[in-house]
Amino acid sequence: MNADRLMAHFERISDAPDAVSKLRRFILDLAVRGKLVDQDPGDEPAEALLERIASKKGELSSRSRTKTTHENEKGPYELPPSWIWSRIADLGLLSPRNNASDSAVCSFVPMSLISAAFGVGAAHEKRPWGDIKKGYTHIADGDVAVAKITPCFENGKSTVFRSLTGGIGAGTTELHVVRPIEMSPDYIVLFLKSPCFIENGIPRMTGTAGQKRLPGDYFAYRPFPLPPLAEQHRIIAKVDELMMLCDRLEASQAERDSRRDRLVVASLNRLSQPTDSDEFKKDAGFTLSHLNRLSTKPEHIKELRKAILNLAVRGKLVPQDDAWQTAPLSAIAEQIVDCPHSTPKWQPRGKICVRTNQFSPGKLDLTLSRFVSETTFRERIQRLAPQANDILYSREGGILGVACRVPEGVELCLGQRMMLIRPGQKADSAYLELVLNSPLITEIAKKSTTGGAAPRVNVSTVKAYPIPLPPLAEQKRIVAKVDELMGICDKLETQLESQQKGRRQLLEALLHEALEGVG
């Protein structure tokens, strides 16, 4: 691998999602395909190594099922001439057992002490052998294990056991174990962490959701790419070198992202602090003119939207009229009603009954609507029949404190965990919706919740929300400016999604380019 060239390329693609982790997986994939180091014609061929392993194993138990790999058997991809397709069952003893006195102090390894990272050994606890010899998986120094249960298998938990107390131990029952013979255990682990082994193993897992396990036959008999022993050691050395490079790339990326995040937070925070007019205009001008450079992550745009709303309710987005006042929501709204506190009977067709999962700030997703009968509909609108530009407000659950208006031309009733707010003559509906979604009100909602596991805001709290109220004409100007800036945020989100897709594609191409000509 040309590390200098990769470093130069990496700045171009490091914003791709999981760039370094993809690079790590790609390195492991190349390693088990014979594409990471040069083959040496002087190495003992893998076929001779396999024969030597078989002769040292001697007579195997029936449990080991030692059918040897036929010369004409094919694996999933082509190997270098000096390699051969084998199986883990051919390379050592499966599920080996230990013998020791009950008083011997040994190691115990729970799943939590096994790492998913390449090159990180398992930690262990000291236990008397008599306490752990039954009901656990036996292990010894040099044994290789892979986690068989979800999600540990999918996450790549596998290891070589080393420096066990007394040289032996036991561990979680959720392991497949092999004791290698004449093999580099680190190369076996490299294969167990490779994308080809994990990705092909996932669909073969059996069991119920949350308790799926990798079959032992897949571990033992899945085609295994066996290189010469000398090349195994060269591969491990090269992988170690490249993983250290990945560590440096990851650290560099984290520092750069941290600097960028601090800049974004500082820029947005300055817009939220009381300051004199000239300084604010300078800060706002900088932030708004550099939106596309500052907003490089979805969370940046989310914070930018909050900052825009915060500026709006403080009178900082448009020329300000002096006649602002603050009044409780109950003094501004014509009506505020709570939803019916019962779950309606749903049916395939009928009248729309909205639910809070259809809410997002300023938007109601009618594609997620469910339906109730005409009779149920009439019962649920007795308090107040929603009409266009009324505000639906979620006061309970995971999206607490979200406001969205009822669109034109839609007849609907309220589901649960929401309120209906009808603005009066003092407040423009779009402006009031904007205020209810602003940090000014959402922070009050978060701090005023009751209900423990199902947090909610009391109706009395909602009615008391302090609403900043400029003249109607200024309300409309604020709404227009917010719509303009939110439109920019929408474009930035689309642009960011497109950029991330492009970076993902570029990442794959540049990884191949940086590694071309090897092997």
Side-chain angles (χ1 to χ4, degrees):
M1 172 182 277
N2 187 325
D4 293 335
R5 181 167 59 176
L6 179 60
M7 287 289 285
H9 288 325
F10 194 78
E11 287 300 316
R12 299 168 59 192
I13 47 82
S14 58
D15 282 330
D18 304 322
V20 176
S21 62
K22 287 183 178 179
L23 176 57
R24 292 184 193 276
R25 292 194 296 270
F26 190 58
I27 290 168
L28 296 178
D29 189 49
L30 290 173
V32 299
R33 292 173 182 268
K35 300 293 185 181
L36 204 59
V37 301
D38 292 331
Q39 278 75 51
D40 186 339
D43 289 344
E44 175 193 50
E47 186 172 9
L49 170 63
L50 191 60
E51 291 175 356
R52 191 167 71 255
I53 293 172
S55 67
K56 288 196 174 184
K57 286 177 68 175
E59 290 294 327
L60 300 177
S61 67
S62 59
R63 183 180 63 181
S64 297
R65 286 179 283 177
T66 58
K67 184 192 82 167
T68 56
T69 304
H70 292 302
E71 189 174 332
N72 61 354
E73 283 192 67
K74 300 293 184 182
Y77 48 84
E78 187 174 351
L79 295 177
S82 58
W83 292 39
I84 190 172
W85 284 108
S86 179
R87 298 149 326 153
I88 287 178
D90 299 332
L91 307 177
L93 303 176
L94 299 176
S95 303
R97 304 293 294 175
N98 300 325
N99 291 310
S101 66
D102 287 355
S103 60
V105 178
C106 304
S107 289
F108 180 72
V109 184
M111 185 68 76
S112 60
L113 298 184
I114 299 175
S115 175
F118 180 81
V120 179
H124 54 92
E125 306 165 352
K126 293 182 179 180
R127 301 271 187 91
W129 179 245
D131 292 353
I132 58 176
K133 68 178 182 179
K134 294 182 180 179
Y136 294 105
T137 303
H138 286 201
I139 55 177
D141 280 344
D143 285 358
V144 176
V146 61
K148 62 184 177 183
I149 192 168
T150 189
C152 300
F153 171 72
E154 296 95 316
N155 293 340
K157 282 203 169 192
S158 51
T159 192
V160 179
F161 294 107
R162 290 190 170 97
S163 302
L164 298 174
T165 302
I168 64 169
T172 169
T173 59
E174 302 293 353
L175 296 175
H176 291 308
V177 178
V178 63
R179 185 163 293 168
I181 297 174
E182 294 284 323
M183 278 287 298
S184 163
D186 294 298
Y187 177 77
I188 297 178
V189 166
L190 187 155
F191 172 73
L192 297 178
K193 292 184 183 293
S194 69
C196 61
F197 180 77
I198 295 174
E199 291 171 6
N200 284 290
I202 290 173
R204 291 170 170 79
M205 298 179 80
T206 60
T208 58
Q211 291 290 315
K212 288 191 174 183
R213 290 176 172 83
L214 185 74
D217 280 2
Y218 179 80
F219 168 72
Y221 301 107
R222 195 256 184 214
F224 179 95
L226 180 64
L229 183 58
E231 188 172 344
Q232 292 177 34
H233 294 304
R234 293 198 301 273
I235 290 171
I236 293 302
K238 178 55 98 174
V239 170
D240 286 341
E241 173 192 336
L242 295 177
M243 291 300 176
M244 291 178 63
L245 170 63
C246 287
D247 291 341
R248 295 198 301 272
L249 290 172
E250 205 162 43
S252 174
Q253 182 186 37
E255 175 57 29
R256 189 199 60 213
D257 288 349
S258 178
R259 288 197 304 268
R260 183 183 293 160
D261 289 345
R262 291 195 298 270
L263 175 61
V264 171
V265 170
S267 298
L268 296 179
N269 280 345
R270 286 179 69 84
L271 298 186
S272 302
Q273 302 301 319
T275 184
D276 65 77
S277 180
D278 290 340
E279 185 178 351
F280 172 79
K281 288 180 180 178
K282 180 180 177 182
D283 293 338
F286 172 82
T287 301
L288 296 178
S289 63
H290 292 82
L291 289 182
N292 60 335
R293 296 179 63 187
L294 290 173
S295 304
T296 58
K297 297 179 181 178
E299 53 265 34
H300 291 165
I301 299 176
K302 181 180 178 180
E303 291 302 313
L304 177 59
R305 291 185 189 275
K306 288 170 60 177
I308 290 170
L309 293 178
N310 192 34
L311 293 173
V313 300
R314 291 173 52 217
K316 298 293 186 179
L317 282 185
V318 299
Q320 185 175 355
D321 192 298
D322 292 334
W324 280 57
Q325 58 179 305
T326 299
L329 179 60
S330 59
I332 296 170
E334 179 181 312
Q335 284 183 280
I336 302 175
V337 298
D338 200 11
C339 64
H341 295 287
S342 60
T343 303
K345 183 177 181 180
W346 305 111
Q347 59 182 42
R349 289 177 296 276
K351 297 289 189 179
I352 293 175
C353 183
V354 294
R355 299 166 295 153
T356 55
N357 71 335
Q358 298 175 244
F359 292 16
S360 59
K363 296 178 183 178
L364 178 65
D365 186 355
L366 291 174
T367 64
L368 300 175
S369 296
R370 296 188 70 177
F371 305 97
V372 296
S373 68
E374 179 74 30
T375 300
T376 300
F377 179 80
R378 294 299 168 194
E379 291 173 351
R380 298 184 81 85
I381 65 171
Q382 285 181 0
R383 299 185 202 182
L384 185 63
Q387 62 185 34
N389 289 317
D390 284 352
I391 297 174
L392 301 170
Y393 185 74
S394 172
R395 71 174 190 88
E396 184 177 335
I399 60 167
L400 180 148
V402 175
C404 56
R405 282 175 291 160
V406 176
E408 297 277 356
V410 177
E411 193 177 37
L412 53 82
C413 64
L414 304 186
Q416 292 180 279
R417 300 182 293 276
M418 67 183 71
M419 298 173 65
L420 185 66
I421 303 168
R422 179 163 294 167
Q425 296 181 352
K426 296 180 181 180
D428 176 78
S429 178
Y431 174 77
L432 186 55
E433 174 194 63
L434 180 158
V435 175
L436 291 172
N437 286 318
S438 72
L440 172 68
I441 301 301
T442 58
E443 290 303 314
I444 295 174
K446 290 177 184 177
K447 294 175 182 178
S448 306
T449 57
T450 60
R456 58 182 176 273
V457 180
N458 292 330
V459 173
S460 59
T461 301
V462 175
K463 289 182 176 181
Y465 283 160
I467 306 299
L469 201 64
L472 275 170
E474 187 171 346
Q475 292 179 36
K476 294 181 183 297
R477 292 198 301 273
I478 290 171
V479 169
K481 188 63 175 180
V482 169
D483 285 346
E484 175 190 341
L485 294 176
M486 291 301 180
I488 294 175
C489 290
D490 291 340
K491 291 180 181 178
L492 287 174
E493 283 180 330
T494 301
Q495 177 182 328
L496 181 59
E497 183 178 345
S498 177
Q499 287 174 344
Q500 288 182 334
K501 181 179 179 181
R503 288 182 182 120
R504 282 194 295 266
Q505 294 172 341
L506 183 59
L507 171 62
E508 301 297 332
L510 289 179
L511 287 176
H512 284 281
E513 178 186 338
L515 292 158
E516 68 183 357
V518 180

